[in-house]
Amino acid sequence: QVQLVESGGDLVQPGGSLRLSCAASGSIVLIGDWDYYRQAPGKQRELVATITKTGNSNYADSVKGRFTISRDNARNMVYLQMNSLEPEDTAVYFCSALVRTLPTRPVTRYWGQGTQVTVSS
């Protein structure tokens, strides 16, 4: 079994910054892509950022230039640095990872528990 535990969400004023982190533990052979999603009330879940095993990253247009995703493969962790936060960034943020738990098994997607980010004056 694999668990993803994430933290870093908070209440912050517009223009502020937050750093989210997510750590995977358990029977991990390999972590492929790491993703961050967010879910705002009444809206569809949105893919915010992706980073591959080799460090290539992609971002939603709404956060490009403000958010940076990074990973530490040795520690099985991912980070999302969020700068210049806007009220529209308010949502529950979820980390997610594609994990291989056994060499003979396909990868499985795991999800963190979510962390609340609120941007308000």
Side-chain angles (χ1 to χ4, degrees):
Q1 183 74 289
V2 174
Q3 291 184 329
L4 306 186
V5 179
E6 60 184 307
S7 62
D10 204 352
L11 171 64
V12 64
Q13 293 184 332
S17 297
L18 287 173
R19 179 180 170 89
L20 307 184
S21 63
C22 183
S25 62
S27 301
I28 300 170
V29 174
L30 175 70
I31 299 179
D33 291 359
W34 276 104
D35 303 308
Y36 263 101
Y37 289 80
R38 65 186 182 187
Q39 179 79 63
K43 295 188 176 181
Q44 299 284 349
R45 185 175 60 187
E46 176 189 17
L47 177 62
V48 175
T50 296
I51 186 166
T52 69
K53 175 67 175 178
T54 56
N56 294 322
S57 59
N58 286 288
Y59 302 90
D61 288 342
S62 58
V63 308
K64 198 171 299 181
R66 300 187 296 118
F67 291 10
T68 302
I69 189 169
S70 60
R71 64 190 291 165
D72 185 336
N73 291 335
R75 299 173 63 189
N76 292 327
M77 294 189 68
V78 67
Y79 308 91
L80 185 68
Q81 178 67 46
M82 305 184 296
N83 299 324
S84 301
L85 283 163
E86 305 167 354
E88 293 74 21
D89 296 316
T90 296
V92 177
Y93 285 71
F94 298 90
C95 61
S96 182
L98 295 173
V99 181
R100 186 180 301 279
T101 59
L102 290 171
T104 58
R105 295 290 186 270
V107 296
T108 302
R109 179 171 292 280
Y110 291 89
W111 293 87
Q113 81 280 7
T115 185
Q116 176 71 50
V117 173
T118 302
V119 185
S120 176
S121 59

